[in-house]
Amino acid sequence: MVVIRVLVSGACGSMGGYVCRAVDAAEDMTIAAAVDPAGIGHKLGEYMPDLSEDAQQIQVSGHLAATLQEAGPNVMIDFTAPAVVMSNIEAALSAGTACVVGTTGFSEIDLKTIQRMSESKGVACVIAPNFSIAANLMMKFAAEAVASFEYAEIIERHHEHKKDAPSGTAVRTAQIMAEAREGPLSVVPTERHNVEGSRGGALGNIPIHAVRMPGYVADQEVLLGSPGEILKISHETTSRECFIPGVMLAVRAVQALSGLTYGLDKLLTR
Ligand code: NAD
């Protein structure tokens, strides 16, 4: 069996912890290195005493480029922050390491830049704003339903530490819904805004409303309206474990891909 050597970028973060445990537990993967400036001088085992003996001994590095050279991983998994992810991807692709990226907050220009880098280096990159399989099904069902409605809005609800708004999932959902329609949706006009922004952020003709508060992990509701009825397609996350099967699927697939693959839906339909 070929064992995939994985570098975990953002290893000491919330998602990084789930990723390290899943990679460590997978028979066909091993943690080749862990990078996170917050963990410099510490071993992975100090954060995750439940890891295997070997994984516990891995020193957390703060220098991605040097660690890529030393460890020679096949795949980097990145769950870090919007401010650092572009340079992490560039470093990994330049080192010949394929990327699986869950960090959110990419602009259209960022994605085009990654596509160019990935093609020119001949190393693949998978980016998914949501690695949950159920959330991707929610997007698929919303895209299927949107042809039968004139009005749609998205409400997304996340924990209080989320740095960007709206969520990458909400943006991706709106994009997929817009692509699935022949013509644009309608938006109810508002004559007077008593509070600026209260109709949400508009992406195309789909208003998006972002809620941030403790208690939520990552939920989303797509509302589709017609006279006399509303269809609600909703997805609730109860634990961040839900992202792991999608991440593992991408890690197993990425080395056989080329260029940028954006969205887990592309891998689910293969
Ligand atoms: P977090 O803040 O708990 O963890 C981020 C970690 O990255 C921190 O430990 C931080 O020290 C580390 N970090 C910062 N700069 C770094 C760098 N240059 N190199 C390596 N590590 C660095 O955040 P989180 O909740 O784990 O989420 C991380 C990202 O993943 C966010 O953008 C979030 O929106 C996204 N996310 C995506 C999905 C998905 O399915 N795509 C799911 C959950 C979270």
Side-chain angles (χ1 to χ4, degrees), residues 42-163:
H42 297 277
K43 290 182 177 172
L44 270 189
E46 294 175 51
Y47 298 93
M48 289 161 260
D50 51 330
L51 291 180
S52 65
E53 285 294 321
D54 287 350
Q56 284 194 46
Q57 297 310 314
I58 293 172
Q59 285 282 351
V60 181
S61 156
H63 302 284
L64 179 61
T67 309
L68 283 160
Q69 291 307 323
E70 280 161 26
N74 306 114
V75 178
M76 172 183 80
I77 304 178
D78 187 289
F79 281 89
T80 57
V84 300
V85 66
M86 286 298 284
S87 65
N88 286 355
I89 293 172
E90 185 173 7
L93 294 178
S94 301
T97 299
C99 299
V100 170
V101 179
T103 309
T104 50
F106 292 100
S107 67
E108 284 296 318
I109 294 171
D110 291 337
L111 293 174
K112 285 202 175 104
T113 306
I114 295 165
Q115 170 127 33
R116 265 200 308 275
M117 273 195 292
S118 171
E119 280 167 3
S120 74
K121 311 271 183 211
V123 186
C125 182
V126 173
I127 300 178
N130 197 319
F131 274 104
S132 141
I133 288 170
N136 279 276
L137 288 173
M138 167 193 62
M139 290 187 237
K140 187 178 164 194
F141 299 153
E144 215 173 296
V146 74
S148 307
F149 290 85
E150 265 313 294
Y151 297 88
E153 305 210 6
I154 295 172
I155 306 170
E156 56 97 330
R157 305 177 180 92
H158 280 80
H159 57 89
E160 73 279 26
H161 301 299
K162 183 158 178 62
K163 294 193 172 69

Side-chain angles (χ1 to χ4, degrees), residues 121-260:
K121 311 271 183 211
V123 186
C125 182
V126 173
I127 300 178
N130 197 319
F131 274 104
S132 141
I133 288 170
N136 279 276
L137 288 173
M138 167 193 62
M139 290 187 237
K140 187 178 164 194
F141 299 153
E144 215 173 296
V146 74
S148 307
F149 290 85
E150 265 313 294
Y151 297 88
E153 305 210 6
I154 295 172
I155 306 170
E156 56 97 330
R157 305 177 180 92
H158 280 80
H159 57 89
E160 73 279 26
H161 301 299
K162 183 158 178 62
K163 294 193 172 69
D164 55 332
S167 70
T169 306
V171 172
R172 183 79 187 130
T173 307
Q175 286 167 343
I176 290 176
M177 288 169 72
E179 284 161 18
R181 274 184 67 88
E182 299 232 322
L185 287 153
S186 304
V187 189
V188 175
T190 303
E191 278 178 22
R192 200 179 74 185
H193 286 94
N194 297 327
V195 176
E196 202 51 52
S198 46
R199 286 288 292 119
L203 205 150
N205 281 0
I206 307 180
I208 303 178
H209 312 267
V211 178
R212 296 287 176 270
M213 62 175 70
Y216 285 116
V217 181
D219 295 356
Q220 179 168 294
E221 207 171 5
V222 180
L223 308 178
L224 295 137
S226 265
E229 61 182 352
I230 300 282
L231 175 65
K232 293 183 186 176
I233 303 171
S234 106
H235 173 247
E236 283 177 28
T237 309
T238 52
S239 154
R240 293 187 141 207
E241 268 174 85
C242 70
F243 301 119
I244 294 304
V247 173
M248 303 301 266
L249 175 76
V251 171
R252 291 184 177 113
V254 67
Q255 290 182 90
L257 300 172
S258 58
L260 170 65

